[in-house]
Amino acid sequence: MYPAAMRNTPPPQRERIFFGYVATVCVVAVVITALALPDLQHHIGRSMDVYWVLAGFAVIGDARPVTTPGGRSSMMVFPSICFTFAILLMWGFAAAVVVQTAAVIVSSTQLRHRLWRAAFNASQYAVSFGAASLVLKMSSGQPFAPGGEPGWVDVIVAVAAASVWFVVNYALVTAAVGLRFGGSWWQIMRRSIAFDALTTGSLLLLAPVLVGAERASAALIPLIIVPLIAVNRMARLATEQDRVAKTDPLTALANRTALMSEVADQAAVCTQRAATDGNDHHFALLVLDIDRFKYVNDALGHEVGDRLLVEIGRRLERAVGDENLVARLGGDEFAVVAPAIETLSDARDIAGRISVILSVPVVLDGLSLDVGGSIGIAMYPAHGGDFATLMRHADVAMYDAKMRGDAVAVYAPEADHNSPARLSLLADLRGALVTPESTEVAFYYQPQVEMASGEVVGVEALLRWHHPEHGLIDPEELIRVAEHSGVMRLLTLRVIDDVIAQLAKWRANGLTLRASINVSVRDLHTGEIVDRLADRLAHHQIAPEQLQLEITEGALMADPRRVLTTLQRLDKVGIALSLDDFGTGYSSMQHLRRLPLAEVKIDRSFVLGMVNDSDDEAIVRSIIELAGALGLRVVAEGVEDDRTRRLLLAAGCHVAQGWFYARPMPADELVGWLGRYRPPQQLDWPVAG
Ligand code: C2E
Ligand code: CA
Ligand code: CA
């Protein structure tokens, strides 16, 4: 047996040690063989015909070696050892080594092994045979030699010799794997020792039986083939079983189980290397989620979805290369373990290669499918020391990438919605929301102005939370945290209650305004929000037209089908819908047309830049045109100066919101502000670009 599969390439220093080891084993083998060769003639003199039969079987037997289950350091079992061990028993060390070397030459040629590897394998066997032959010397004379009569003691000595052979051989291979790939030798050894002991042990112990059979008649030798086939078959079945247990049936990639053991292996390798050279060693776990896969599956059927996954799997393997392991976690989630990296930027490079290869549309049945995906990266050991932690953190990063509309994100503890700081913040927010007398949570209102007339037509309600210890909490950050928790629901119910009650208060002061509230797309997964809105509107007798919901484009477009029912119900109730942060996600024309939308809000990043950046200005202009063509109202937010206002007005924008008019303010201040408000001077001459 010797190492079968080899993946990542070792660094130069370890390579030198490894080849030094290989050379040493070879030299030892050559020396002991050279010393024993003179005896060869003397031993083989007897029963030459049987010797040739056994030698023939040994060489032919290695034509189909079996790889044992053991992952990266799996071993190979060669049936030849049954015959060569019998030769050892009958004719001694030199005779066995000659035949074994011939068998290794045949199998190495067939398996296209490098020269050094073939030399190591031949030498490793020679050393094992040398050790076994020392044990055999304990018997008096040569009881197994042709004409000898082995007794009980001799058989026990033979079993001891076989055991020594196995131990020496196993140790030599384990040392080779350990030196080449690093990692704990104990782990390497443990991986398949039971299996190897059984298969190799059966082969070795068949040898004395073979000798006994020959004693009766050389014609019995071929009968040994049947048990050998059985051993071979058993080994193959075990290997196949192991392969199936670690393979994703659809894509033939590694599955979660295989990924788990690869991560454990790599962690052990890093620990071992760190212990040897005192440096930190890293590897990366990348988790990838395919964008819009659900559409393909829903619209084109599972069969097409499956083929898409297979193609993506193929592309991933091509993108990351042999040294990295690609696994499918299930659904449209994939993962990559990248062991051969030294820095985070290496991991980013791999993620970048994946993004590039995913950006090429997949053509299935003449249909061109745009896939793309979001990738999260977690590094060992900085972001986790075990599979579960690394997985969770890579997942958090991936989700973060998705939310931000980026292709790649590296795990950052701040982005972890489960970090202790976040959990305690969430608990505080929950406390504030469920305590009716708490004034920590409030809503500020920012006016929205109709551009043509300069009149205030509405307000947007914006969350403000004054934390008793941390002060004012950034709402954007807070929403990102809350969105993944049950607190979001409480917050949304609170917005609805507060804002509708506020509309009633303003009405009592003679003020009728439209208020926009922000909701998370998750709020729309159930119909609860519609019931609550309808209930509160009826309670305060506010017209549904006075309320509007804002949903961010990225979140809505990620899965519009899921919220369609709720959106249609809202539409029926008469509550309008606004697509917030427009331009930052990707909306298809189809969705813009099919969803019951009343307005789009151009993302403030474009508006803020439009005065100085002609690209931003072009984007704003085309959004206004597009929305106009679809019959949607366009609101520009982030209007900070008069120049921007004029540009927007000239471009035909309907409504503007921003610091140029007013910052978000408490509800009580709004009435006073409205009293002081004077519409800006209207545009009566053309504005130069
Ligand atoms: P958004 O919905 O895009 O809200 C507009 C943001 O732009 C507000 O930030 C507002 O203060 C800011 N803004 C308004 N005019 C200007 C301007 O002229 N210049 C600049 N630079 N910024 C301006 P804010 O209040 O920090 O809110 C941030 C985000 O938090 C909101 O973005 C919204 O996504 C979320 N959010 C706020 N309140 C709620 C809420 O009650 N529920 C939900 N689900 N999300 C909320
Ligand atoms: Ca908004
Ligand atoms: Ca916005």
Side-chain angles (χ1 to χ4, degrees):
M1 105 208 116
Y2 51 78
M6 302 197 160
R7 199 145 3 93
N8 53 348
T9 343
Q13 195 213 349
R14 217 177 33 207
E15 189 141 306
R16 272 201 300 279
I17 299 175
F18 170 74
F19 282 112
Y21 167 78
V22 169
T24 311
V25 174
C26 291
V27 168
V28 172
V30 168
V31 170
I32 57 174
T33 311
L35 290 176
L37 270 182
D39 285 351
L40 188 59
Q41 202 57 42
H42 156 71
H43 286 301
I44 298 232
R46 290 170 285 168
S47 305
M48 274 301 281
D49 46 347
V50 178
Y51 179 74
W52 288 118
V53 171
L54 289 176
F57 276 119
V59 175
I60 299 166
D62 277 6
R64 285 191 73 197
V66 177
T67 310
T68 64
R72 192 146 48 93
S73 56
S74 57
M75 312 277 175
M76 277 189 176
V77 178
F78 288 91
S80 63
I81 51 162
C82 169
F83 301 100
T84 45
F85 201 76
I87 292 174
L88 173 80
L89 294 172
M90 294 172 82
W91 292 284
F93 169 68
V97 169
V98 170
V99 175
Q100 188 65 63
T101 305
V104 169
I105 291 173
V106 169
S107 62
S108 298
T109 314
Q110 217 193 359
L111 295 168
R112 301 216 182 116
H113 285 167
R114 301 258 183 83
L115 194 60
W116 66 260
R117 193 160 164 194
F120 175 75
N121 294 144
S123 307
Q124 145 218 336
Y125 282 130
V127 174
S128 310
F129 278 119
S133 79
L134 286 180
V135 176
L136 288 175
K137 293 227 156 61
M138 284 160 55
S139 285
S140 50
Q142 280 189 302
F144 290 98
E149 281 188 12
W152 277 101
V153 176
D154 303 315
V155 171
I156 291 169
V157 171
V159 171
S163 311
V164 167
W165 188 99
F166 178 76
V167 169
V168 170
N169 194 53
Y170 207 80
L172 289 172
V173 172
T174 303
V177 175
L179 288 173
R180 187 151 173 82
F181 301 111
S184 147
W185 292 17
W186 172 240
Q187 286 233 344
I188 298 168
M189 209 157 83
R190 246 189 16 191
R191 196 142 28 197
S192 67
I193 192 159
F195 182 86
D196 284 328
L198 188 63
T199 46
T200 310
S202 326
L203 291 170
L204 289 170
L205 295 183
L206 269 176
V209 178
L210 192 61
V211 174
E214 184 274 335
R215 200 89 355 130
S217 158
L220 288 172
I221 294 177
L223 295 189
I224 203 83
I225 298 299
V226 177
L228 279 187
I229 291 175
V231 171
N232 192 291
R233 187 93 199 106
M234 180 185 83
R236 261 174 217 288
L237 278 177
T239 310
E240 180 58 19
Q241 242 173 26
D242 184 69
R243 199 189 59 77
V244 169
K246 289 183 171 164
T247 307
D248 169 53
L250 177 65
T251 58
L253 295 173
N255 61 11
R256 185 181 280 270
T257 312
L259 182 76
M260 204 154 42
S261 77
E262 175 71 2
V263 166
D265 280 2
Q266 291 306 333
V269 168
C270 289
T271 315
Q272 169 82 13
R273 282 188 202 165
T276 343
D277 63 13
N279 296 325
D280 278 346
H281 292 276
H282 323 269
F283 70 90
L285 177 65
L286 289 77
V287 168
L288 161 78
D289 185 84
I290 304 301
D291 293 338
R292 298 180 289 278
F293 175 72
K294 235 179 82 64
Y295 291 152
V296 174
N297 231 15
D298 290 353
L300 304 175
H302 289 281
E303 198 257 337
V304 176
D306 283 355
R307 276 161 56 206
L308 179 60
L309 291 174
V310 170
E311 172 58 21
I312 289 170
R314 256 190 235 135
R315 286 187 181 191
L316 285 176
E317 282 195 308
R318 240 181 298 140
V320 307
D322 284 350
E323 64 271 25
N324 304 307
L325 178 86
V326 180
R328 178 172 168 239
L329 300 172
D332 57 348
E333 270 205 332
F334 295 83
V336 174
V337 182
I341 58 161
E342 282 307 320
T343 62
L344 182 61
S345 82
D346 294 342
R348 276 186 183 281
D349 283 350
I350 294 177
R353 290 211 298 271
I354 295 176
S355 288
V356 168
I357 211 156
L358 284 181
S359 66
V360 181
V362 178
V363 180
L364 291 177
D365 295 339
L367 260 178
S368 174
L369 304 173
D370 263 312
V371 277
S374 315
I375 304 170
I377 303 176
M379 295 288 286
Y380 173 94
H383 302 153
D386 57 71
F387 177 73
T389 314
L390 281 169
M391 249 336 256
R392 192 161 53 77
H393 289 169
D395 220 51
V396 166
M398 187 269 287
Y399 197 78
D400 227 49
K402 232 186 190 33
M403 292 308 289
R404 291 204 311 249
D406 288 345
V408 181
V410 178
Y411 172 72
E414 319 86 68
D416 190 346
H417 316 291
N418 301 319
S419 75
R422 293 202 161 207
L423 287 177
S424 96
L425 202 65
L426 274 185
D428 293 349
L429 179 60
R430 178 187 291 276
L433 288 173
V434 297
T435 315
E437 58 275 13
S438 165
T439 53
E440 286 177 26
V441 170
F443 291 90
Y444 276 34
Y445 294 86
Q446 187 176 33
Q448 297 181 325
V449 176
E450 188 180 58
M451 298 208 80
S453 64
E455 263 174 52
V456 176
V457 288
V459 288
E460 178 180 5
L462 293 158
L463 171 74
R464 293 294 177 264
W465 179 29
H466 284 272
H467 189 280
E469 278 167 53
H470 308 305
L472 197 66
I473 306 287
D474 174 34
E476 212 152 355
E477 168 79 10
L478 180 65
I479 298 296
R480 255 212 299 276
V481 183
E483 209 155 27
H484 307 282
S485 74
V487 180
M488 193 63 219
R489 177 180 157 268
L490 293 178
L491 182 66
T492 299
L493 296 180
R494 175 67 169 270
V495 186
I496 294 173
D497 293 0
D498 275 25
V499 172
I500 296 178
Q502 187 59 53
L503 286 175
K505 271 192 215 161
W506 279 329
R507 185 188 46 202
N509 289 323
L511 191 64
T512 304
L513 281 171
R514 180 183 63 218
S516 288
I517 63 177
N518 294 282
V519 295
S520 154
V521 75
R522 284 182 168 227
D523 296 326
L524 305 174
H525 287 171
T526 70
E528 186 192 16
I529 188 171
V530 189
D531 302 332
R532 182 70 157 228
L533 282 162
D535 175 73
R536 292 291 91 191
L537 288 172
H539 178 84
H540 292 287
Q541 295 190 316
I542 297 286
E545 293 73 39
Q546 266 186 270
L547 207 66
Q548 176 166 280
L549 298 193
E550 294 188 5
I551 304 161
T552 55
E553 181 190 27
L556 184 62
M557 291 307 164
D559 200 354
R561 278 157 194 273
R562 190 149 177 204
V563 295
L564 195 60
T565 324
T566 306
L567 296 187
Q568 283 163 346
R569 277 190 66 199
L570 282 168
D571 193 40
K572 258 206 195 121
V573 173
I575 298 173
L577 211 66
S578 168
L579 197 55
D580 205 352
D581 299 348
F582 191 73
T584 55
Y586 2 55
S587 298
S588 72
M589 293 289 163
Q590 230 186 30
H591 286 126
L592 285 182
R593 223 158 38 85
R594 292 221 183 118
L595 293 173
L597 297 173
E599 79 175 26
V600 294
K601 289 187 85 171
I602 309 174
D603 189 66
R604 61 183 179 276
S605 62
F606 303 119
V607 178
L608 289 170
M610 68 184 292
V611 167
N612 296 317
D613 186 330
S614 55
D615 287 345
D616 282 348
E617 197 203 336
I619 291 171
V620 171
R621 281 182 185 278
S622 41
I623 291 177
I624 294 171
E625 259 170 48
L626 170 69
L630 291 168
L632 300 170
R633 178 171 56 226
V634 192
V635 181
E637 67 179 10
V639 181
E640 293 190 354
D641 51 46
D642 196 38
R643 203 166 146 66
T644 308
R645 180 189 70 85
R646 285 160 187 255
L647 280 175
L648 286 164
L649 179 59
C653 182
H654 305 124
V655 177
Q657 172 186 350
W659 299 346
F660 172 68
Y661 301 98
R663 299 210 174 211
M665 62 189 97
D668 316 338
E669 288 177 19
L670 189 75
V671 182
W673 180 85
L674 282 170
R676 296 191 302 275
Y677 173 73
R678 294 285 168 268
Q681 208 189 1
Q682 289 310 295
L683 183 75
D684 45 15
W685 64 90
V687 182

